[in-house]
Amino acid sequence: MLCQLCGQREATVHFKEVINGVTRELHLCEVCAEKEGFLSKSFPLPDFSLPSLITGLTEFDTVLPKKEKKCPGCGLSYTQIEKKGKMGCSLCYQTFEEYISPLLEKIHGRVLHRGKVPRRGKMRSKIERQLYQLRQELDKAVKKEEYERAAKLRDKIKKLQKDENFPTTN
Amino acid sequence: MKIFQQLINSPSQWIKEEGPEANIVFSSRVRLARNIQGFVFPPWASNSELKKVSTEILEAAGKSKYFKVSSVIDMEKLSFLERRFLLERHLISDEFVDNGKYRFLVATEGEIISLMINEEDHLRLQSILPGLQLMEAWKLSDKVDNDLEEYLNYAFSPQRGYLTSCPTNVGTGMRASCMIHLPSLVATNRIRDVLKGVSQLGLITRGLYGEGTSSRGDFFQISNQVTLGLKEEQILNSVERVTRRVVEEEKRAREVLLKNNSAKIKDEIGRAYGILTNAYLISSEEALQLLSKIRLGIGLGFLSGLKIGILNELFILIEPAQIQIMEGKSLNPFSRDRTRAKIIKEKLTIHPPGQMHGCMDV
Ligand SMILES: [Zn+2]
Ligand SMILES: [Zn+2]
């Protein structure tokens, strides 16, 4: 089903509202849902509650065939991206890393950036590295079912994101 | 459309002025691709997303000191002819000509710096300078980029660099190119080998109007292919170094032509001048071919009264959309050929060449 607002991306967020006794159904993509205020946190991890994180992980990693998994930023699958030859959003680079990496190697003969870094990016990179490490630890904690530790790491990540008020890239 | 009129009335500064190696190098251009964090890339974006991101970028440009005197053009409001006009002036790409909503061009006075908003990427920033000045063009783009970044949150990853719609642009997001005029390499049939050598060095060669076009008027473009894994300066150095080598090849070919065929070259240049200043009707193809000879003639020092800048201007002015926009109406091919002949005659006789003489202008 396509999103009712933009009509472009797959609807992945579904709501039922009851207003004055009338039931209304809403089917939105994550981008529109976030814009409309239906998601508290925007991508990359829309909902950070522990159970959804775990199901989120299994959903992304095992249930869906990899090319069909949807980018949380734009809702596109790699099959769609491949067909058009254009990435959907900045998160696609990370979401479809396993396809992008060999592609970049083929196009550029290299895969890592060595050029200019935006001034804000310089600060952001540092925080991103921390975030990345924390997320890795969180992954491990979840896999080992150390939920208390995971909850603490989750709070740390949230705080880091909020404190710096950085929109999350990668 | 008042803003568009301004653009018509102010000729591109980079075309008229003469830069280093002006006899052979027409222009140097550095284009940067940037996207805004949190927005879907243009090829996939909805109209409301395009609208939102274009508003953000236009606001940023409005605050930037580099765009104090500039024109903002809503592509949707232009006719096909007007869009072709901008393409012929090297302000927009082929892709941008095919209209769409919420696509904007911002161009500074003199058209040295310009922005395409919502082309394939949210932002394409271009600096273009006359002659061989790639580093200067980069410095300009770099400064404008830094300034815009004060107001925009670019999509950037420490591993992949600036994130772009197409993976071929990711990393630096930079395309550096030089437009060069190589009539003698064409005349001596050496052009194929030289261009092959260029592509073997990992660079791209193209015709006058970018991707997929054949060379017209003996103009070629050299640009980088790789955008990821190298520093901007490394990329620029390689494009500039290779361009210099091609320039040397062209100079050598000119010497050879002069040495072996001096009379024939002089005859060709003289005839070209004769036709261009006397023709009553001329097609753009014939005009390009003959103007190329005149441009070569100036480089060889034969037409001392004529300036390269005027020739460069003519190469643009004789294009179909330029002629029709300047005349203020659409013309059939016959009237276009008539008007073209008039424009050329005017430009070449206002600045009459001196006596033809044989000394080389090195
Ligand atoms: Zn939507
Ligand atoms: Zn995406």
Side-chain angles (χ1 to χ4, degrees):
Chain A
M1 185 193 301
L2 289 178
C3 166
Q4 288 174 339
L5 276 183
C6 64
Q8 286 201 334
R9 289 176 288 265
E10 194 70 19
T12 52
V13 184
H14 310 279
F15 295 96
K16 236 183 215 168
E17 282 184 326
V18 183
I19 301 169
N20 298 332
V22 182
T23 312
R24 197 166 67 112
E25 283 190 26
L26 267 180
H27 306 282
L28 305 177
C29 70
E30 277 171 356
V31 176
C32 293
E34 197 263 325
K35 273 187 200 156
E36 295 300 309
F38 288 112
L39 290 179
S40 51
K41 199 89 197 134
S42 74
F43 50 84
L45 294 174
D47 185 355
F48 232 115
S49 74
L50 214 44
S52 90
L53 177 71
I54 297 163
T55 53
L57 283 174
T58 49
E59 214 176 79
F60 280 153
D61 288 350
T62 56
V63 179
L64 290 171
K66 282 185 174 171
K67 273 199 175 179
E68 293 317 311
K69 106 176 150 185
K70 300 268 192 320
C71 169
C74 59
L76 295 167
S77 68
Y78 194 70
T79 314
Q80 288 171 289
I81 288 169
E82 218 173 13
K83 217 167 160 191
K84 197 164 185 159
K86 305 283 145 89
M87 310 293 270
C89 72
S90 53
L91 281 182
C92 287
Y93 278 92
Q94 175 195 357
T95 311
F96 305 112
E97 171 121 12
E98 67 223 272
Y99 302 108
I100 302 298
S101 229
L103 186 66
L104 294 178
E105 168 102 56
K106 215 165 104 190
I107 299 170
H108 301 280
R110 300 155 182 91
V111 295
L112 288 179
H113 180 56
R114 290 191 57 219
K116 182 175 176 178
V117 173
R119 256 174 286 176
R120 283 182 216 191
K122 272 179 199 158
M123 285 193 290
R124 209 158 55 200
S125 313
K126 216 188 268 172
I127 289 152
E128 265 168 9
R129 260 196 300 276
Q130 284 179 38
L131 277 171
Y132 179 77
Q133 278 171 1
L134 285 171
R135 283 200 189 112
Q136 296 264 325
E137 283 178 47
L138 179 62
D139 266 10
K140 272 188 223 153
V142 170
K143 272 179 195 141
K144 287 187 197 160
E145 301 186 7
E146 298 172 356
Y147 294 126
E148 234 173 279
R149 191 172 133 71
K152 272 187 196 152
L153 286 166
R154 177 204 60 195
D155 291 344
K156 254 193 190 170
I157 291 173
K158 265 189 170 173
K159 189 165 177 296
L160 199 57
Q161 282 176 331
K162 207 164 142 196
D163 276 1
E164 304 299 332
N165 196 19
F166 275 117
T168 45
T169 61
N170 287 30
Chain B
M1 172 132 242
K2 190 174 149 272
I3 287 162
F4 195 75
Q5 201 58 43
Q6 274 172 10
L7 204 63
I8 296 170
N9 295 338
S10 72
S12 325
Q13 210 178 315
W14 62 269
I15 293 171
K16 291 192 91 174
E17 284 174 9
E18 285 185 27
E21 300 288 358
N23 284 343
I24 295 171
V25 185
F26 190 87
S27 63
S28 301
R29 176 171 75 171
V30 173
R31 198 181 263 178
L32 300 177
R34 301 288 186 253
N35 285 284
I36 312 305
Q37 178 62 32
F39 286 95
V40 172
F41 295 156
W44 295 100
S46 65
N47 274 343
S48 72
E49 288 163 329
L50 290 174
K51 183 181 177 181
K52 225 174 141 187
V53 78
S54 63
T55 308
E56 254 190 50
I57 298 171
L58 285 173
E59 271 174 26
K63 289 178 202 160
S64 164
K65 59 183 170 200
Y66 293 99
F67 296 96
K68 287 275 178 271
V69 187
S70 59
S71 314
V72 179
I73 291 161
D74 182 347
M75 294 303 290
E76 200 196 356
K77 300 209 170 109
L78 299 188
S79 66
F80 177 73
L81 206 57
E82 289 169 323
R83 282 177 269 137
R84 289 290 311 182
F85 174 91
L86 296 175
L87 176 75
E88 290 169 1
R89 282 215 177 183
H90 303 268
L91 279 171
I92 62 171
S93 59
D94 268 324
E95 191 166 300
F96 222 53
V97 175
D98 303 328
N99 222 359
K101 265 181 176 293
Y102 306 115
R103 288 175 168 84
F104 296 88
L105 167 73
V106 184
T108 59
E109 204 179 39
E111 297 161 32
I112 297 282
I113 305 167
S114 58
L115 305 175
M116 277 188 282
I117 300 172
N118 285 333
E119 203 236 24
E120 184 183 285
D121 294 298
H122 291 140
L123 186 57
R124 289 278 175 95
L125 158 62
Q126 150 174 317
S127 298
I128 187 161
L129 291 174
L132 184 52
Q133 307 191 64
L134 212 47
M135 281 298 167
E136 283 69 19
W138 155 246
K139 280 179 201 153
L140 200 52
S141 284
D142 187 33
K143 272 194 271 182
V144 178
D145 183 46
N146 287 341
D147 196 43
L148 288 174
E149 203 228 318
E150 295 284 323
Y151 315 105
L152 293 170
N153 191 11
Y154 286 152
F156 178 85
S157 126
Q159 295 81 32
R160 308 287 186 228
Y162 293 94
L163 303 173
T164 51
S165 274
C166 193
T168 52
N169 298 320
V170 80
T172 58
M174 185 183 76
R175 200 68 60 185
S177 58
C178 290
M179 182 97 74
I180 45 182
H181 186 222
L182 306 173
S184 305
L185 286 174
V186 172
T188 54
N189 287 321
R190 294 219 42 234
I191 191 71
R192 216 175 290 263
D193 288 341
V194 170
L195 294 183
K196 209 169 129 198
V198 172
S199 48
Q200 276 164 357
L201 292 167
L203 300 179
I204 310 171
T205 56
R206 288 185 192 139
L208 184 48
Y209 289 105
E211 225 151 340
T213 60
S214 61
S215 130
R216 304 204 300 154
D218 306 320
F219 281 101
F220 299 86
Q221 187 183 289
I222 297 178
S223 62
N224 61 303
Q225 180 150 35
V226 170
T227 58
L228 178 68
L230 296 170
K231 287 187 190 303
E232 282 82 357
E233 285 77 9
Q234 291 175 297
I235 296 171
L236 292 155
N237 275 330
S238 98
V239 176
E240 181 157 338
R241 202 176 52 238
V242 172
T243 301
R244 277 190 196 287
R245 264 165 73 171
V246 176
V247 167
E248 289 314 310
E249 291 281 352
E250 169 67 20
K251 283 182 182 166
R252 212 165 305 147
R254 289 181 183 195
E255 278 169 36
V256 170
L257 274 183
L258 266 186
K259 210 166 130 198
N260 300 346
N261 264 321
S262 162
K264 188 164 170 274
I265 291 299
K266 283 182 195 169
D267 183 59
E268 278 180 12
I269 293 165
R271 280 167 187 274
Y273 187 77
I275 292 172
L276 287 171
T277 48
N278 288 285
Y280 191 79
L281 297 170
I282 195 162
S283 69
S284 75
E285 213 152 302
E286 186 183 7
L288 284 171
Q289 209 185 336
L290 296 175
L291 284 171
S292 176
K293 297 232 184 292
I294 300 288
R295 204 178 185 282
L296 172 65
I298 296 171
L300 294 176
F302 290 149
L303 302 161
S304 53
L306 276 175
K307 287 256 183 295
I308 283 282
I310 286 162
L311 260 287
N312 291 351
E313 211 187 338
L314 268 176
F315 274 106
I316 309 266
L317 287 179
I318 59 160
E319 293 287 351
Q322 305 296 312
I323 289 179
Q324 296 175 72
I325 295 280
M326 296 295 186
E327 290 288 299
K329 58 186 177 203
S330 83
L331 302 171
N332 63 29
F334 180 85
S335 314
R336 285 207 297 262
D337 288 355
R338 171 74 196 111
T339 310
R340 182 178 296 113
K342 259 200 311 212
I343 293 171
I344 294 173
K345 188 175 183 169
E346 251 174 50
K347 286 275 174 192
L348 290 187
T349 40
I350 285 176
H351 311 270
Q355 283 286 318
M356 291 260 292
H357 55 87
C359 62
M360 270 277 283
D361 184 8
V362 183

